[in-house]
Coordinates of all heavy atoms in Angstrom, one line a residue:
S1 N 24.8 -8.0 1.1 CA 24.6 -6.8 0.4 C 23.7 -5.8 1.1 O 23.9 -4.6 1.0 CB 24.2 -6.8 -1.0 OG 23.0 -7.4 -1.1
H2 N 22.8 -6.3 1.8 CA 21.8 -5.6 2.5 C 21.6 -6.0 4.0 O 22.1 -7.0 4.3 CB 20.4 -5.8 1.8 CG 20.1 -5.3 0.5 ND1 20.9 -5.7 -0.5 CD2 19.2 -4.3 0.1 CE1 20.4 -5.0 -1.7 NE2 19.5 -4.1 -1.4
D3 N 21.3 -5.0 4.7 CA 20.9 -5.3 6.1 C 19.4 -5.1 6.3 O 18.7 -4.4 5.6 CB 21.5 -4.0 7.0 CG 22.9 -4.3 7.3 OD1 23.4 -5.3 6.9 OD2 23.4 -3.5 8.1
L4 N 18.9 -6.2 7.0 CA 17.5 -6.2 7.1 C 17.1 -5.7 8.5 O 17.6 -5.9 9.7 CB 17.0 -7.7 7.2 CG 15.4 -8.0 7.5 CD1 14.7 -7.7 6.2 CD2 15.3 -9.5 7.8
F5 N 16.1 -4.7 8.4 CA 15.6 -4.1 9.7 C 14.2 -4.5 10.0 O 13.3 -4.3 9.2 CB 15.6 -2.4 9.5 CG 16.9 -1.9 9.3 CD1 17.5 -1.4 8.2 CD2 17.6 -1.5 10.5 CE1 18.6 -0.9 8.0 CE2 18.9 -0.8 10.4 CZ 19.4 -0.6 9.1
L6 N 14.1 -5.3 11.0 CA 12.9 -5.7 11.7 C 12.3 -4.7 12.4 O 13.0 -4.0 13.3 CB 13.0 -7.1 12.3 CG 13.3 -8.3 11.6 CD1 13.6 -9.4 12.5 CD2 12.0 -8.7 10.7
A7 N 11.0 -4.4 12.3 CA 10.3 -3.3 13.1 C 8.9 -3.6 13.4 O 8.2 -4.2 12.7 CB 10.5 -1.9 12.4
T8 N 8.5 -3.1 14.6 CA 7.2 -3.1 15.1 C 6.3 -1.9 14.4 O 7.1 -0.8 14.3 CB 7.1 -3.1 16.6 OG1 7.6 -1.9 17.1 CG2 7.5 -4.4 17.2
V9 N 5.2 -2.0 14.1 CA 4.3 -1.1 13.6 C 3.7 -0.2 14.9 O 2.9 -0.9 15.6 CB 3.0 -1.6 12.8 CG1 2.4 -0.4 12.2 CG2 3.8 -2.2 11.5
E10 N 4.0 1.0 14.9 CA 3.6 1.7 16.2 C 2.4 2.5 15.9 O 1.6 2.8 16.9 CB 4.8 2.7 16.6 CG 6.0 2.0 16.9 CD 6.0 1.1 18.1 OE1 5.2 1.6 19.1 OE2 6.6 0.1 18.2
S11 N 2.1 2.9 14.6 CA 0.8 3.8 14.3 C 0.7 3.7 12.8 O 1.7 3.5 12.0 CB 0.9 5.1 14.8 OG -0.2 5.8 14.7
V12 N -0.6 3.8 12.4 CA -0.8 3.8 11.0 C -1.8 5.1 10.6 O -2.8 5.3 11.4 CB -1.5 2.6 10.4 CG1 -1.8 2.7 8.9 CG2 -0.6 1.4 10.7
A13 N -1.5 5.9 9.7 CA -2.3 6.9 9.2 C -2.8 6.6 7.8 O -2.0 6.2 6.9 CB -1.6 8.3 9.2
V14 N -4.2 6.7 7.6 CA -4.7 6.3 6.3 C -5.6 7.6 5.7 O -6.1 8.3 6.6 CB -5.7 5.2 6.5 CG1 -5.0 3.9 7.0 CG2 -6.9 5.4 7.2
E15 N -5.6 7.7 4.6 CA -6.3 8.8 3.8 C -7.9 8.4 4.0 O -8.4 7.5 3.6 CB -6.0 8.8 2.3 CG -6.5 10.0 1.6 CD -6.1 10.0 0.2 OE1 -5.0 9.6 -0.1 OE2 -6.9 10.5 -0.6
E16 N -8.7 9.4 4.5 CA -10.0 9.3 4.7 C -10.8 9.1 3.5 O -11.8 8.4 3.6 CB -10.5 10.6 5.5 CG -10.0 10.6 7.0 CD -10.6 11.8 7.7 OE1 -11.5 12.6 7.2 OE2 -10.4 11.8 8.9
A17 N -10.2 9.6 2.4 CA -11.1 9.5 1.1 C -11.1 8.2 0.7 O -12.0 7.8 -0.1 CB -10.5 10.3 0.1
L18 N -10.3 7.2 1.2 CA -10.3 5.8 0.9 C -11.0 4.8 1.7 O -11.1 3.6 1.4 CB -8.9 5.3 0.7 CG -7.9 6.0 -0.2 CD1 -6.6 5.4 0.0 CD2 -8.5 5.7 -1.7
L19 N -11.8 5.5 2.6 CA -12.7 4.8 3.6 C -14.1 4.6 2.9 O -14.6 5.7 2.5 CB -12.7 5.3 4.8 CG -11.4 5.4 5.7 CD1 -11.7 6.2 7.1 CD2 -10.8 4.1 5.9
D20 N -14.7 3.5 3.0 CA -16.1 3.3 2.5 C -17.1 3.6 3.5 O -16.7 4.1 4.7 CB -16.3 2.1 1.9 CG -16.1 0.9 2.9 OD1 -16.1 1.1 4.1 OD2 -16.0 -0.4 2.3
E21 N -18.4 3.4 3.4 CA -19.5 3.6 4.2 C -19.3 2.9 5.6 O -19.7 3.3 6.6 CB -20.8 3.4 3.6 CG -21.1 4.1 2.4 CD -20.4 3.7 1.1 OE1 -19.7 2.7 1.2 OE2 -20.5 4.5 0.2
A22 N -18.7 1.8 5.5 CA -18.4 1.1 6.8 C -17.0 1.3 7.3 O -16.5 0.5 8.3 CB -18.6 -0.5 6.4
D23 N -16.4 2.3 6.9 CA -15.1 2.7 7.4 C -14.0 1.6 7.2 O -13.0 1.6 7.8 CB -15.1 3.0 8.9 CG -15.6 4.4 9.2 OD1 -15.6 5.3 8.3 OD2 -16.1 4.8 10.3
S24 N -14.2 0.9 6.1 CA -13.2 -0.2 5.6 C -12.3 0.5 4.7 O -12.8 1.4 3.9 CB -13.9 -1.3 5.0 OG -14.6 -2.0 5.9
L25 N -11.2 0.2 4.7 CA -10.1 0.9 3.8 C -10.1 0.3 2.5 O -10.0 -1.0 2.2 CB -8.7 0.6 4.4 CG -7.5 1.3 3.7 CD1 -7.7 2.9 3.5 CD2 -6.2 1.0 4.3
R26 N -10.3 1.0 1.4 CA -10.4 0.6 0.0 C -9.2 0.9 -0.7 O -9.1 1.9 -1.5 CB -11.7 1.0 -0.5 CG -13.1 0.5 0.0 CD -13.1 -0.9 -0.3 NE -13.2 -1.2 -1.6 CZ -14.1 -1.1 -2.5 NH1 -15.3 -0.7 -2.0 NH2 -14.1 -1.4 -3.8
L27 N -8.0 0.3 -0.5 CA -6.9 0.6 -1.1 C -7.0 0.3 -2.6 O -6.0 0.7 -3.5 CB -5.7 -0.3 -0.5 CG -5.1 0.3 0.8 CD1 -4.0 -0.6 1.4 CD2 -4.5 1.7 0.5
D28 N -8.0 -0.6 -3.2 CA -8.1 -0.8 -4.5 C -8.4 0.5 -5.3 O -8.3 0.5 -6.6 CB -9.1 -1.8 -4.7 CG -10.4 -1.4 -4.1 OD1 -10.5 -1.2 -2.9 OD2 -11.5 -1.4 -4.9
R29 N -8.9 1.5 -4.5 CA -9.3 2.9 -5.2 C -7.9 3.7 -5.2 O -8.1 4.9 -5.8 CB -10.3 3.5 -4.4 CG -11.6 2.7 -4.4 CD -12.6 3.4 -3.3 NE -13.8 2.7 -3.3 CZ -14.8 3.0 -2.3 NH1 -14.6 4.0 -1.6 NH2 -16.0 2.3 -2.3
A30 N -6.9 3.4 -4.7 CA -5.7 4.2 -4.6 C -4.7 4.2 -5.7 O -4.0 5.2 -5.9 CB -5.0 3.9 -3.3
G31 N -4.8 3.2 -6.6 CA -4.0 3.1 -7.7 C -2.5 2.7 -7.1 O -1.6 3.4 -7.6
L32 N -2.4 1.8 -6.3 CA -1.1 1.5 -5.9 C -0.1 0.9 -6.9 O -0.6 0.4 -7.9 CB -1.2 0.4 -4.7 CG -1.9 0.8 -3.4 CD1 -2.1 -0.3 -2.5 CD2 -1.2 2.0 -2.8
A33 N 1.2 1.2 -6.6 CA 2.1 0.8 -7.7 C 2.9 -0.4 -7.0 O 3.2 -0.6 -6.0 CB 3.1 2.1 -7.9
A34 N 3.5 -1.2 -8.0 CA 4.3 -2.3 -7.7 C 5.6 -2.2 -8.6 O 5.6 -1.5 -9.5 CB 3.5 -3.7 -8.0
Y35 N 6.5 -3.0 -8.2 CA 7.7 -3.0 -9.0 C 8.2 -4.4 -9.4 O 8.0 -5.4 -8.7 CB 8.9 -2.5 -8.0 CG 10.3 -2.3 -8.8 CD1 10.7 -1.1 -9.4 CD2 11.2 -3.2 -8.5 CE1 11.9 -1.1 -9.9 CE2 12.5 -3.2 -9.0 CZ 12.9 -2.1 -9.8 OH 14.1 -1.9 -10.3
S36 N 8.6 -4.5 -10.7 CA 9.0 -5.8 -11.3 C 9.9 -5.7 -12.3 O 9.9 -5.1 -13.4 CB 7.8 -6.6 -11.9 OG 8.1 -7.8 -12.3
H37 N 11.3 -6.3 -12.0 CA 12.3 -6.3 -12.9 C 12.6 -4.9 -13.6 O 12.9 -4.9 -14.7 CB 12.2 -7.3 -14.0 CG 12.0 -8.7 -13.5 ND1 13.0 -9.6 -13.2 CD2 10.9 -9.5 -13.4 CE1 12.5 -10.6 -12.8 NE2 11.3 -10.7 -12.8
G38 N 12.7 -3.9 -12.7 CA 13.1 -2.6 -13.3 C 12.1 -1.7 -13.7 O 12.3 -0.7 -14.1
S39 N 10.7 -2.3 -13.6 CA 9.6 -1.5 -14.1 C 8.7 -1.2 -13.0 O 8.4 -2.1 -12.1 CB 9.0 -2.2 -15.3 OG 9.8 -2.4 -16.4
Y40 N 8.0 0.0 -13.1 CA 6.9 0.3 -12.2 C 5.5 -0.1 -12.8 O 5.4 0.2 -14.0 CB 6.8 1.7 -11.8 CG 8.2 2.3 -11.2 CD1 9.2 2.9 -11.9 CD2 8.5 2.0 -9.8 CE1 10.3 3.3 -11.4 CE2 9.6 2.5 -9.3 CZ 10.7 3.1 -10.1 OH 11.8 3.5 -9.5
M41 N 4.5 -0.5 -12.0 CA 3.4 -1.1 -12.6 C 2.3 -0.6 -11.5 O 2.4 -0.8 -10.4 CB 3.3 -2.7 -12.8 CG 4.4 -3.2 -13.8 SD 4.4 -5.0 -13.7 CE 5.7 -5.3 -14.7
E42 N 1.1 -0.4 -12.2 CA -0.1 -0.1 -11.5 C -0.8 -1.4 -11.2 O -1.0 -2.2 -12.1 CB -1.0 1.0 -12.0 CG -2.2 1.3 -11.2 CD -3.0 2.4 -11.9 OE1 -2.8 2.8 -13.1 OE2 -3.9 2.9 -11.2
L43 N -1.2 -1.6 -10.0 CA -2.0 -2.8 -9.7 C -3.4 -2.7 -10.3 O -4.1 -1.6 -10.5 CB -2.3 -2.9 -8.1 CG -1.0 -3.2 -7.3 CD1 -1.3 -3.3 -5.9 CD2 -0.2 -4.4 -7.8
G44 N -3.8 -3.9 -11.0 CA -4.9 -3.9 -11.8 C -6.3 -4.4 -11.2 O -6.6 -4.2 -9.9
R45 N -7.0 -5.2 -12.0 CA -8.1 -5.7 -11.6 C -8.3 -6.8 -10.4 O -7.2 -7.5 -10.3 CB -9.0 -6.3 -12.8 CG -8.3 -7.4 -13.3 CD -9.0 -8.0 -14.8 NE -8.3 -9.1 -15.3 CZ -8.6 -10.2 -15.2 NH1 -9.7 -10.6 -14.4 NH2 -8.0 -11.3 -15.9

């Protein structure tokens, strides 16, 4: 039913506001969403 596309990562752009004092990416501050059985969910604690 699906075709799988394998790909190399060529470049990544990240939002500067999500970088901490050590320039580490804090995606826990972004409110990322996940999908499960037809529902969208916000990642929690």
Side-chain angles (χ1 to χ4, degrees):
S1 62
H2 291 66
D3 280 1
L4 177 76
F5 292 98
L6 286 171
T8 56
V9 176
E10 301 296 320
S11 182
V12 179
V14 300
E15 185 178 333
E16 290 185 353
L18 295 177
L19 300 178
D20 62 16
E21 296 76 10
D23 281 339
S24 296
L25 182 60
R26 294 293 304 275
L27 277 177
D28 55 307
R29 300 173 180 174
L32 292 177
Y35 182 82
S36 182
H37 298 281
S39 297
Y40 303 97
M41 304 176 181
E42 183 177 9
L43 296 181
R45 62 191 179 93

